[in-house]
Amino acid sequence: MKIPVIIDCDPGTDDTIALTMALASDHLDVKAITTVAGNQTAEKTAVNGLKIVSFLDKQVPVARGAENPIMRPLVTAGHVHGETGMAHVVLPEPKIDYLETKAWDLFYELSVIKNEKIHLITLGPLSNVAIALMKYPKLKDGISQITMMGGAVGYGNDTPAAEYNIYADPEAAKMVFESGIPITMVGLDCTHQAWLSAAEINAMGSPTEKNGIWLAQEMMHHIHAFATRFGFEGAIMHDPSAIAAVIDPTLIQTKDYFVTVETKGEHTTGKTVVDTLRVTGREPNAQVALEINREGFVELVKELMKRYESGGFRC
Ligand code: RIB
Ligand code: CA
């Protein structure tokens, strides 16, 4: 039985790899892709989402979302993902257009209105989800679970305290953790273990045309060059880890903790405050991923990439 999902993302180099994985998986029924301002502006992440779906020749609707965080100015990550958000890769103009429907309305329409439980996978700032929660008090009745790439029990990556997706819109993230919707938090404690070596990237395939493997590998090589400069062993697969966790939950080890988000600290805003010693007495509101089976993750990525071996875009 396929899992009906909506993927909310800010493509973004690792978002791109995550989308190639999700759109190749037999385990996921990707009902829609929604985009949000984050790694790049809302305009750029939206057009990147359209181009990726069009390039991969997938019939999945794309809806645009928030142009800014709900209560603070946008902080993009062009220094990581490049001026376009797609590193050095230039994809053809999309053959499809966005839905008229906004991301937050689509969450509600595809779940509550259609009376279907949707597993929401978020790979960027949580602005769209927060707007949906504010606009639709009954949204939680339609969302079976949120699996987010975001946060960390330990140190951050955008500040010493905060992981980027949470730091970019901490008020939105706090609202999501308080929503009562079941959450799996795939944070840096887990994603920093999900690295790919140069050899593993090359082993994903040897495409003779520009297809999904080529697209993913170009992004992996970009991330590998960036991550190894910071001393990591390989290309860190943040967003792909979240997709892998939904496709095969046995790949991650989680613990149930109470999590909230700091929104006021001078040095700590955006920090996911995880009650690992249960000192607050608050009921756990998230399954927090602490480990990932790296070898199993690599095998899953490789298996999904092979789905693109036959078809592909011919430039
Ligand atoms: O901290 C990593 C996260 O921030 C990933 O989702 C990456 O795409 C960036 O958005
Ligand atoms: Ca992302």
Side-chain angles (χ1 to χ4, degrees), residues 132-207:
L133 287 166
M134 288 187 280
K135 186 170 180 181
Y136 299 108
K138 290 191 178 301
L139 178 73
K140 64 185 286 192
D141 297 340
I143 305 296
S144 59
Q145 175 167 343
I146 294 173
T147 295
M148 67 170 70
M149 191 281 135
V153 176
Y155 55 82
N157 63 355
D158 208 58
T159 75
E163 178 278 324
Y164 173 76
N165 286 339
I166 308 298
Y167 179 71
D169 198 340
E171 287 79 11
K174 187 168 190 286
M175 207 178 285
V176 173
F177 278 104
E178 293 172 351
S179 68
I181 296 173
I183 292 171
T184 298
M185 178 181 123
V186 181
L188 299 180
D189 320 278
C190 170
T191 64
H192 279 163
Q193 299 172 35
W195 53 268
L196 297 178
S197 67
E200 288 165 336
I201 294 170
N202 292 330
M204 292 293 165
S206 308

Side-chain angles (χ1 to χ4, degrees), residues 9-12 14-15 39 81 123-125 149 164-165 239:
C9 55
D10 59 336
D14 57 329
D15 304 72
N39 286 326
H81 300 269
L123 308 178
M149 191 281 135
Y164 173 76
N165 286 339
D239 293 340

Side-chain angles (χ1 to χ4, degrees), residues 107-118 141-142:
F107 295 159
Y108 188 69
E109 284 176 24
L110 293 185
S111 62
V112 176
I113 300 294
K114 287 194 74 172
N115 195 27
E116 174 155 23
K117 287 284 191 186
I118 292 289
D141 297 340

Side-chain angles (χ1 to χ4, degrees), residues 291-308:
E291 292 180 36
I292 191 166
N293 169 351
R294 191 190 81 85
E295 289 64 33
F297 168 76
V298 175
E299 280 314 303
L300 174 62
V301 179
K302 202 181 289 184
E303 176 203 318
L304 292 170
M305 289 303 110
K306 295 225 176 302
R307 306 280 170 83
Y308 291 102

Side-chain angles (χ1 to χ4, degrees), residues 1-23:
M1 180 75 173
K2 287 195 170 192
I3 306 168
V5 302
I6 294 175
I7 302 174
D8 189 63
C9 55
D10 59 336
T13 54
D14 57 329
D15 304 72
T16 301
I17 302 166
L19 291 177
T20 60
M21 291 167 61
L23 293 170

